[in-house]
């Protein structure tokens, strides 16, 4: 069961990005984090839960483990669920919802498992169960071990709260932040995206450089819990580590609508003063004045074979422009098809593990500074 002094906190990540998330969590000073499949685990209390939601860019959710026990049949689950200290974390007047999954266990019906947990909460605490509740209880039964967690985030953490306009196939901010980290970006160099879409890479880079907390403009589910302390949270949020970046962050796109979208998003995020967006094609792309930095780009993937053939000239042109004009710049290129990445003829380092994204798997291809 959950201890008063500390408990397990799980920060979720897309498979393949766990090590990048671990590096970010360590860099923020959290104690003894470690990777597990699908994320990073650390020990802490509720202040650490709040900080993780407020500070960490690469996590999809922050889950607080409130109970773990062995269970082999539904009656046993029903009994043990009634001994979980629900009153210490839930408010009777705040509805909750329960989501369950079962794997390699004697209890195999996730719906029946969820119903037992719902009944225990309802009958021991009087809390209303609602499918649209902001507060979510996550139950995982694996190898006959039941783990019960509270989703302290609510909406997924890539929803920063200030980006209203997105393009048709947006990259999540959490993924973009970790790809920037894998490219070695720490906020102390310019960034250039020649196909910026709604500006995700540029906004994340600018926020990192400005030391803005990613959760500064949104609400979290933990604000509805019995453990929430409004005054302590207000003090935590009020700490402002922001600075004015030394460098600027540059987005380009051939679509005027994308440029307008990116500029509006930058304004809402508070980074318009050190970002700039211009309409231009790949053939027109040129490095901005000043020192070299990082080019990061997420070109179209091409889901069908015919699409991939049509995209070859685009990737070839992108590679030619970068090789001839961006000497000294590092490149990070996200691609779903190795042949398209290779068509750029860029001198890629060994590739990072592929990452699931929108029903496909994409890979971040990186270079050292271009000659």
């Amino acid at each position: 069961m959950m201890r008063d002094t500390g408990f397990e906190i799980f920060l979720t990540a897309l498979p393949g990005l766990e090590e990048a998330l671990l590096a970010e969590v360590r860099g923020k000073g959290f104690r003894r984090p470690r990777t597990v499949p699908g994320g990073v685990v650390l020990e802490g209390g509720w202040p650490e839960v709040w900080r993780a939601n407020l500070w960490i860019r690469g996590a999809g959710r922050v889950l607080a483990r409130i109970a773990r026990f062995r269970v082999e049949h539904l009656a046993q689950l029903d009994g043990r669920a009634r001994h979980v200290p629900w009153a210490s974390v839930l408010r009777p007047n705040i509805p909750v919802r329960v989501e369950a999954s079962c794997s390699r266990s004697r209890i195999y019906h996730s719906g029946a498992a969820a119903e037992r947990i719902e009944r225990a909460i309802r009958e021991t605490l009087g809390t209303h169960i609602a499918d649209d509740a902001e507060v979510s209880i996550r139950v995982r039964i694996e190898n006959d071990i039941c783990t019960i967690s509270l989703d302290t985030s609510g909406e997924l953490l890539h929803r920063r709260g200030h980006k209203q306009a997105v393009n048709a196939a947006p990259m999540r901010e959490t993924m973009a932040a970790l790809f920037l980290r894998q490219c070695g970006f720490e906020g102390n160099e310019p960034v250039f995206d020649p196909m910026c879409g709604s500006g995700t890479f540029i906004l994340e880079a600018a926020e990192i450089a400005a030391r803005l907390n990613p959760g500064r403009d949104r609400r979290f589910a933990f604000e509805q819990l019995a453990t929430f302390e409004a005054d302590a949270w207000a003090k935590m949020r009020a700490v402002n580590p922001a600075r004015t970046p030394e460098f600027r962050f540059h987005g380009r796109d051939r679509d005027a609508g994308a440029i307008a979208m990116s500029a509006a998003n930058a304004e809402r995020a508070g980074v318009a003063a050190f970002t700039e967006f211009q309409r231009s094609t790949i053939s027109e792309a040129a490095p901005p004045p000043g020192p070299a930095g990082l080019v990061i780009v997420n070109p179209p993937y091409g889901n069908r074979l015919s699409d991939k053939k049509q995209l070859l000239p685009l990737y070839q042109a992108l590679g030619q422009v970068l090789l001839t004009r961006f000497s000294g710049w590092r490149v990070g290129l996200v691609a779903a098809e190795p042949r398209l990445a290779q068509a750029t003829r860029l001198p890629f380092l060994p590739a990072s593990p592929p990452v699931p994204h929108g029903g496909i798997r994409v890979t971040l291809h990186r270079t050292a500074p271009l000659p």
Side-chain angles (χ1 to χ4, degrees), residues 187-217:
N188 54 2
E189 61 184 332
V191 174
F192 183 90
D193 183 349
M195 299 181 182
C196 68
S198 57
T200 303
F201 275 129
I202 297 305
L203 267 62
E204 286 298 306
E207 290 190 22
I208 291 167
R211 295 180 180 170
L212 296 173
N213 289 325
R216 66 193 182 279
D217 289 331

Side-chain angles (χ1 to χ4, degrees), residues 122-136:
R122 189 170 52 245
E123 294 182 0
T124 60
L125 192 61
T127 299
H128 178 61
I129 307 298
D131 291 340
D132 60 348
E134 182 181 5
V135 176
S136 171

Side-chain angles (χ1 to χ4, degrees), residues 114-145:
E115 193 277 333
R116 297 310 192 277
I117 301 295
E118 290 170 353
R119 185 194 303 171
I121 295 170
R122 189 170 52 245
E123 294 182 0
T124 60
L125 192 61
T127 299
H128 178 61
I129 307 298
D131 291 340
D132 60 348
E134 182 181 5
V135 176
S136 171
I137 307 290
R138 293 176 173 252
V139 180
R140 181 176 178 83
I141 303 176
E142 185 174 16
N143 296 321
D144 295 327
I145 300 297

Side-chain angles (χ1 to χ4, degrees), residues 340-355:
L340 289 176
Q342 292 161 7
T344 64
R345 298 188 180 278
L346 291 167
F348 291 121
L349 302 168
S352 303
V355 177

